[in-house]
């Protein structure tokens, strides 16, 4: 705690997990805290998986000199063939015993600790031992949280077995979601990272002081209600919606945008599958054909490998010379990190072909850009379902999970045309943008949630 003019101020430490999808919301939350005079220490697991993460950290600390950075040096990584982001999460967890000396050296002493839902089982026992109130930032949807919080009970019952594909997953007679939305590893009989993670982390998250979630009340009213009214768990930790976490200033680069500046308002489709999803080569090429045939203008971010450092191939090798030439006529194609916020906030951009990683969904809502959902893995179908129900976009369910089938260029083109030409969807998404801005604006639901938390922490 520190004092300023006799008033106590909270000192909060943040510990994010691996990958941009987890790091970005933590950075945005830290920036919000600074704007509200909360003292922030940001703990950075070192090394990071991707180059992008280390670059984002450098830019961030240069723009926020008032935030203290503490490097958390991880144990030596073992090389394995497992998903690099999941194996890094394991590494951060297994380095947990190195945290106590780092925390006890911080001055003034901490009022509150905030960590990611994927690290709860390693962090909470440590912070409990020093009586440090600990909150969890849940970086996916509240709908996903209903599944996460009930998973230990579901996995211990027969609720996940013997269900038809169309069957509905229920807990204590509450309908959660159809089985078809659930991340496939959670339904497998054999052990896997996600199952283990859901059981271990969920069991500890319920011992936290509370959960912050990057969503907003009007966007996920039903799921937030189910949790906070005790329908999912009898005594849940309090769940506070604080989103959409707004981008901070240094995220905006204003580079790469010359081409967009010359396009008519709302005419461009932005195509990206996030920071850690590479489509199969044949699917990348069908997507290219689809984009060209759709007749729409587009900005296409092609991702050829899961981790950026390992992607040495030239764009032309990935999509082929002929396609490359045709694509250039109508679009901008890149095979590098782009500032998504710059693109989504550009007036030329009207649509977003997205895998529905939750950050992307919140960013689309923030900017009022309609989504053509193409979920690939993990929590993305649950998120796509939220998008479709609230009217932020459309979803072709028959396209299936990643690798289930090859979706043809002709079909992709048709759906792009439908989405870009959908005037009622365009108007609806502008309404969602207004709701998003209201939620974080003065007196809005997310603003109030965060204000109440901070004033409580200032008393600690
Ligand atoms: N992102 C970006 N540029 C890219 C790819 C991704 O800025 O080229 C950002 C995107 O804006 C979002 C995050 O990286 O904030 C990705 O998180 P998301 O939850 O959408 O998906 P994930 O990458 O975790 O699958
Ligand atoms: C990433 C991924 C698959 C996946 C998820 C990812 C989620 C998000 C929720 O983020 O479902 C989640 C909560 C707790 C946890 C892990 C993930 O321990 O590749 O399903």
């Amino acid at each position: 705690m520190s004092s300023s003019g006799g008033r106590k101020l909270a000192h909060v430490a943040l510990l994010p997990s691996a990958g941009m999808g987890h790091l970005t919301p933590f950075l945005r939350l830290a920036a919000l805290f600074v704007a509200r005079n909360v003292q922030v220490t940001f703990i950075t697991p070192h090394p990071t998986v991707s180059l992008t993460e280390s670059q984002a950290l450098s830019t961030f600390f240069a723009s926020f000199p008032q935030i203290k950075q503490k490097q958390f040096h991880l144990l030596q990584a073992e090389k394995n063939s497992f998903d690099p982001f999941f194996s890094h999460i394991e590494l951060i967890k297994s380095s947990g015993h190195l945290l106590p000396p780092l925390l006890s050296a911080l001055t003034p002493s901490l009022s509150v600790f905030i960590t990611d839902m994927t690290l709860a089982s390693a962090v909470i026992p440590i912070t409990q031992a020093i009586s440090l109130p600990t909150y969890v930032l849940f970086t996916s949807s509240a709908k996903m949280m209903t599944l996460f919080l009930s998973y230990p009970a579901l996995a211990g019952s027969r609720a996940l077995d013997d269900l038809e594909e169309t069957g509905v997953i229920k807990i204590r007679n509450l309908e959660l979601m159809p089985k078809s939305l659930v991340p496939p590893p959670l339904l497998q009989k054999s052990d896997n990272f996600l199952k283990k993670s859901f059981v271990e982390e969920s069991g500890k998250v319920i011992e936290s002081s509370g959960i912050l979630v990057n969503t907003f009340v009007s966007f996920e009213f039903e799921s937030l209600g189910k949790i906070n009214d005790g329908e999912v768990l009898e005594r849940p930790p309090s769940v506070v919606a604080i989103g959409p976490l707004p981008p901070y200033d240094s995220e905006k680069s204003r580079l790469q945008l010359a081409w967009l500046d010359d396009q008519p308002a709302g005419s461009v489709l932005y195509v990206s599958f996030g920071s850690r999803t590479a489509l199969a080569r044949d699917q990348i090429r069908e997507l290219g054909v689809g984009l060209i045939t759709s007749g729409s203008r587009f900005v296409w971010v092609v991702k050829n490998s899961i981790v950026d450092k390992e992607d040495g191939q030239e764009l032309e090798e990935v999509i082929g010379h002929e396609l490359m030439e045709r694509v250039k006529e109508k679009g901008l194609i890149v095979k590098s990190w782009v500032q998504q916020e710059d693109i989504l906030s550009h007036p030329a951009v009207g649509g977003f072909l997205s895998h529905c990683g939750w950050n992307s969904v919140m960013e689309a809502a923030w900017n009022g850009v309609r989504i053509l959902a193409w979920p690939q893995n993990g929590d993305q179908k649950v998120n796509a379902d939220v998008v479709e129900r609230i009217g932020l976009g459309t979803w072709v369910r028959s396209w299936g999970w990643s690798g289930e089938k090859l979706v043809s260029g002709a079909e992709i083109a048709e759906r792009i045309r439908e989405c870009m030409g959908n005037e009622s969807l365009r108007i609806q998404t502008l309404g969602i943008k207004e709701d998003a801005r209201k939620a974080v604006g003065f007196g809005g639901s997310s603003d109030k949630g965060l204000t109440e938390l901070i004033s409580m922490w200032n008393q600690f």
Side-chain angles (χ1 to χ4, degrees), residues 190-246:
S190 54
D191 284 341
N192 59 62
F193 172 84
L194 205 63
K195 263 174 82 169
K196 188 166 154 275
S197 173
F198 264 56
V199 171
E200 281 178 7
E201 308 313 328
S202 185
K204 271 296 166 196
V205 166
I206 59 174
E207 294 179 21
S208 69
S209 306
I211 308 176
L212 315 181
V213 54
N214 183 18
T215 191
F216 54 110
V217 174
S218 65
F219 200 73
E220 288 202 271
F221 189 77
E222 214 187 314
S223 297
L224 290 165
K226 281 179 185 170
I227 300 170
N228 279 332
D229 297 344
E231 289 182 67
V232 174
L233 287 178
E234 234 168 283
R235 264 182 296 281
S238 81
V239 173
V240 186
I242 56 163
L245 289 166

Side-chain angles (χ1 to χ4, degrees), residues 154-169:
L154 289 169
S157 70
R158 299 192 54 80
L160 297 175
D161 303 334
D162 314 322
L163 263 184
E164 302 283 324
E165 185 57 22
T166 51
V168 173
I169 295 187

Side-chain angles (χ1 to χ4, degrees), residues 49-80:
V49 182
S50 61
L51 267 180
T52 313
E53 289 163 87
S54 56
Q55 283 157 358
L57 286 167
S58 310
T59 317
F60 179 78
F61 288 114
S63 328
F64 292 95
Q66 59 280 68
I67 295 182
K68 196 187 292 171
Q69 178 184 14
K70 269 282 170 196
Q71 278 207 350
F72 173 27
H73 292 276
L74 304 177
L75 299 172
Q76 201 70 38
E78 277 171 48
K79 273 258 169 260
N80 58 33

